[in-house]
Amino acid sequence: MRFQFPPRSTRGAVLGFAWSQIMLVLAGVICAVVALNLLVAGDRGLAIGAFAGCVLLLTLGLLRLKGRRVTEWTPVVAGAVLQRWAGQGQYRGGPYAPNSVDEWMDLPGPAAAYVWLPATAADGTTQVGLLHHRAEKTVTAALACHGANLILADLDVQDQRLTDWAQLLNILGSEYADSGLVRWSVTARAVPDTGNAAQRFLVNRAVDTSSEAYRSLAQLTAAAAPAAQRHEIYLSVVFDIARLSGEITRAGGTDAAIAAVILDRLTGIEAAVGEADVATGGWLSPRAYAAVIRTQFDPDDQEVVDLRSSTPTRDGGPVSAGVQPRLAGPVAARTVGWNTYQHDSAYSRTLWLAQMPRQQVAATWLTPLYLRTTSRRTVTLVAQPVPAALAQLATRREKVSRAGDEVTKRKLRLVRTAREDDEARAVEQIDREQAAGHVRYRYALLVTVTAASIPDLDRDVRAVRRILSRAGCEAVSLAGEQDQAFAAGALPLARGLKPVRGWSA
């Protein structure tokens, strides 16, 4: 089974140009007309200034930098400059946090509004970690998943798993979207295997530790330990409290009522994931959820957190696994330059896949990213189901706009490119899929690379870029937005999509 992703739309408001570009070009034309009038009137100095303004406006309207229009860079640059001017480019947590860690979990940037919501599962003992975003009025939970080997499976098994996953996407985008689900994400992170499972297996299972075979295997596992990695997968779901206000009010309107309503949805989602032949490890507890967030901010703390549950205390019992929920945030974080985010003991850089593979690819097209790199990296797919009515309106608007552009180009005798043909076919394909009952999604794929130093980070990012380029992807470093990109790409919070505006989908 092979797939082909639709090309990223390049259609603007008129003939591929956005309204901001059109306004800048019109302003440049006006400046040119004014300059000619001034030149005729004999005012050469003002005419030269007007011509210079014309050239500048036309350049800003038509120039592209690193895959974006200059008009798209303007809010990014303005926001970054304003952030640094206001002293918001650095964050101090822990004892220097703006809120008392005895009451809140302090996170930087857009995640600052998250607080823990107490929640107990139906068994009365299992704690479930729910993150309540006070500003956005959403609740987030994360489900630990364990993937099966797809590469070595038979073709029939692969097709069945893909079909089950497609069914799960339809369930999340229809049944649970109607029940308050607004976003979900799949976060897969590769971290060093600090526990060294291979060495532990050898020590625990070896019968004769004095043989040459044992010594040879011990040396082999010890040499492989620095490159050993484990992969963790989390399915994060975000619910909108406003859509569940009726049920929450009937349940009492308290935090406990919110938790009860959300837990009811989580039970059904976990069952649906299990039916898709995906093994699950349960919804993360507050301590486990906090451990994931904490070790993303401070990779040096990974070994301590991993070994905590197996370390005996004075009374013989194990130390509680995970991290105290209130201590999940970083002690310090800041943006370094335009492309690097420094947090506690590491540096990170987040790449956005602006263009998915253009050619047909197999279901395992991302496998080299997991198997051919040894860096610490996190791959996050953030998806938002689009309501059926809005999706139909958006598709109809897209088809009408493209038909209008086609008529205009035919009248102006403009050339139609192959990319425009591919985009038009993609719109038709999406329309047919929606008519067949499939759910339309808005999505973004982010890759966050983490290293102990900037030179190591540059090397690892280049390796990741090469792998993505061979897969036919265009990876863009989110310059000026690395602090927000880290929260979206490295943390299992299902963030990273801008709000829907109008009929856009």
Side-chain angles (χ1 to χ4, degrees):
M1 186 179 295
R2 302 183 67 85
F3 304 90
Q4 185 171 7
F5 293 90
R8 185 165 175 251
S9 177
T10 57
R11 191 191 64 81
V14 178
L15 297 177
F17 296 98
W19 284 116
S20 56
Q21 291 181 291
I22 295 173
M23 297 303 296
L24 287 174
V25 172
L26 287 178
V29 173
I30 293 174
C31 284
V33 173
V34 172
L36 291 175
N37 291 331
L38 291 174
L39 190 62
V40 172
D43 197 340
R44 179 173 296 181
L46 291 178
I48 293 175
F51 274 122
C54 171
V55 173
L56 178 62
L57 290 171
L58 291 177
T59 302
L60 293 177
L62 301 177
L63 185 64
R64 283 179 175 268
L65 294 174
K66 295 184 177 181
R68 293 186 183 182
R69 306 184 185 98
V70 174
T71 53
E72 293 176 325
W73 278 110
T74 302
V76 174
V77 175
V81 171
L82 181 62
Q83 182 187 49
R84 298 185 183 186
W85 176 79
Q88 299 295 320
Q90 297 185 1
Y91 174 82
R92 292 293 180 269
Y96 309 103
N99 298 318
S100 172
V101 294
D102 292 334
E103 300 179 5
W104 308 105
M105 174 187 64
D106 288 299
L107 296 178
Y114 281 111
V115 296
W116 292 102
L117 191 65
T120 305
D123 58 9
T125 58
T126 304
Q127 297 294 317
V128 178
L130 299 182
L131 283 173
H132 175 35
H133 198 289
R134 295 168 293 176
E136 299 175 357
K137 300 187 184 306
T138 59
V139 176
T140 306
L143 177 67
C145 300
H146 309 287
N149 195 319
L150 184 66
I151 300 177
L152 300 180
D154 295 335
L155 294 180
D156 294 338
V157 176
Q158 292 183 2
D159 293 343
Q160 184 59 45
R161 288 179 181 173
L162 294 175
T163 302
D164 293 340
W165 174 251
Q167 183 64 28
L168 176 62
L169 296 186
N170 279 335
I171 292 175
L172 293 178
S174 56
E175 177 182 346
Y176 286 97
D178 295 337
S179 301
L181 180 68
V182 291
R183 287 190 310 276
W184 57 264
S185 70
V186 176
T187 301
R189 69 169 186 166
V191 297
D193 187 8
T194 55
N196 200 348
Q199 285 184 321
R200 290 201 310 269
F201 182 86
L202 179 63
V203 171
N204 295 332
R205 297 298 182 90
V207 178
D208 183 8
T209 59
S210 61
S211 64
E212 290 293 334
Y214 174 81
R215 284 194 292 269
S216 178
L217 284 175
Q219 293 176 0
L220 181 62
T221 54
Q229 287 186 333
R230 73 171 186 269
H231 297 273
E232 301 174 358
I233 304 174
Y234 303 100
L235 172 65
S236 304
V237 292
V238 181
F239 289 91
D240 186 1
I241 295 179
R243 298 187 185 183
L244 304 174
S245 58
E247 293 186 46
I248 294 173
T249 301
R250 289 192 294 271
T254 61
D255 288 347
I258 297 176
V261 173
I262 298 299
L263 288 175
D264 181 60
R265 267 74 175 174
L266 297 184
T267 302
I269 290 178
E270 184 176 5
V273 173
E275 292 173 358
D277 200 19
V278 177
T280 62
W283 296 96
L284 295 183
S285 66
R287 290 187 65 90
Y289 209 157
V292 176
I293 297 174
R294 176 62 191 155
T295 53
Q296 290 293 82
F297 279 112
D298 188 6
D300 283 356
D301 204 23
Q302 186 75 56
E303 183 176 4
V304 177
V305 173
D306 289 346
L307 299 179
R308 184 169 292 157
S309 59
S310 60
T311 303
T313 58
R314 293 181 179 178
D315 58 2
V319 180
S320 298
V323 174
Q324 289 190 29
R326 62 186 180 88
L327 301 178
V331 175
R334 64 169 181 164
T335 301
V336 180
W338 285 93
N339 290 292
T340 305
Y341 185 60
Q342 183 181 10
H343 45 90
D344 285 358
S345 60
Y347 298 84
S348 291
R349 188 171 302 160
T350 300
L351 305 175
W352 167 52
L353 269 66
Q355 179 62 61
M356 304 296 276
R358 298 182 182 90
Q359 68 277 9
Q360 288 190 349
V361 294
T364 57
W365 65 276
L366 267 180
T367 300
L369 183 60
Y370 296 103
L371 300 183
R372 297 181 186 175
T373 55
T374 58
S375 59
R376 186 184 181 105
R377 62 211 174 277
T378 305
V379 182
T380 298
L381 172 66
V382 186
Q384 177 182 2
V386 181
L390 178 59
Q392 292 175 2
L393 289 175
T395 303
R396 187 175 304 170
R397 177 192 178 190
E398 183 76 11
K399 296 178 71 172
V400 171
S401 299
R402 288 193 177 277
D405 286 349
E406 179 65 22
V407 173
T408 304
K409 287 186 176 183
R410 192 181 300 113
K411 290 182 179 179
L412 298 177
R413 297 184 178 180
L414 297 178
V415 176
R416 183 182 177 91
T417 64
R419 183 182 179 89
E420 291 174 337
D421 292 337
D422 291 341
E423 293 178 8
R425 283 194 294 268
V427 173
E428 294 293 337
Q429 178 183 349
I430 292 174
D431 189 18
R432 289 193 298 270
E433 291 174 352
Q434 290 176 182
H438 295 284
V439 177
R440 183 172 180 175
Y441 276 96
R442 299 172 64 239
Y443 63 91
L445 188 58
L446 305 171
V447 181
T448 301
V449 183
T450 303
S453 64
I454 292 182
D456 293 340
L457 179 64
D458 292 337
R459 183 192 66 244
D460 294 339
V461 169
R462 285 194 298 268
V464 170
R465 279 181 176 273
R466 284 195 299 269
I467 292 175
L468 294 175
S469 178
R470 291 171 183 171
C473 301
E474 292 182 11
V476 177
S477 177
L478 294 174
E481 303 172 291
Q482 285 297 321
D483 54 344
Q484 304 172 51
F486 182 86
L491 306 181
L493 300 175
R495 304 185 62 88
L497 291 176
K498 64 180 181 181
V500 177
R501 295 177 181 176
W503 289 353
S504 301

